[in-house]
Amino acid sequence: QVQLVEAGGGLVQSGGLLRLSCAASGSSATPTARGWYRQAPGKERELVATITNGGITNYADSVKGRFTISRDNAKNTVYLQMNSLKPEDTAVYYCNTQTFTFRIYSYWGQGTQVTVSS
């Protein structure tokens, strides 16, 4: 099993920035992919950004050019740099990690609140 702990959320004004981190522990299995998702009140959880072991990244259209996902494998940590934040970015942000042992296993953190004021 993998345990994920997110950190870095908070309250910022529109145009501000935050850096989220997600530390993984509890398993020696090599993650095949890591990513960030978010869920705003009354909305479904949506993909924000993902990164594979090979460094291939994918972003939601709504955050392209503003958010950057990165990872530090030595620290088992994935980051989400969030620049030029908008009120529409307000959501609970969840870290996701996938591993593969004959099939894909998916793990989620508890989430960290990001609130962007006007």
Side-chain angles (χ1 to χ4, degrees):
Q1 294 184 331
V2 175
Q3 292 80 48
L4 304 175
V5 179
E6 301 101 331
L11 173 64
V12 298
Q13 290 184 306
S14 180
L17 59 88
L18 288 171
R19 189 191 191 198
L20 306 183
S21 65
C22 174
S25 63
S27 176
S28 61
T30 301
T32 57
R34 303 193 70 179
W36 290 94
Y37 294 71
R38 67 187 182 187
Q39 187 167 22
K43 296 184 178 181
E44 298 294 323
R45 184 177 297 181
E46 64 175 349
L47 183 148
V48 176
T50 60
I51 185 168
T52 69
N53 281 347
I56 304 300
T57 58
N58 183 48
Y59 297 92
D61 288 340
S62 60
V63 306
K64 286 182 179 178
R66 299 188 298 119
F67 292 8
T68 303
I69 188 171
S70 62
R71 66 193 303 170
D72 185 338
N73 289 335
K75 297 181 178 180
N76 295 316
T77 301
V78 64
Y79 304 92
L80 185 67
Q81 181 66 49
M82 309 165 65
N83 299 332
S84 302
L85 283 162
K86 305 175 181 179
E88 63 201 62
D89 295 318
T90 296
V92 177
Y93 284 71
Y94 296 91
C95 179
N96 172 265
T97 294
Q98 293 183 337
T99 63
F100 182 82
T101 309
F102 302 105
R103 74 171 185 88
I104 294 175
Y105 294 82
S106 187
Y107 304 90
W108 295 91
Q110 293 298 306
T112 184
Q113 177 70 49
V114 172
T115 302
V116 185
S117 64
S118 300

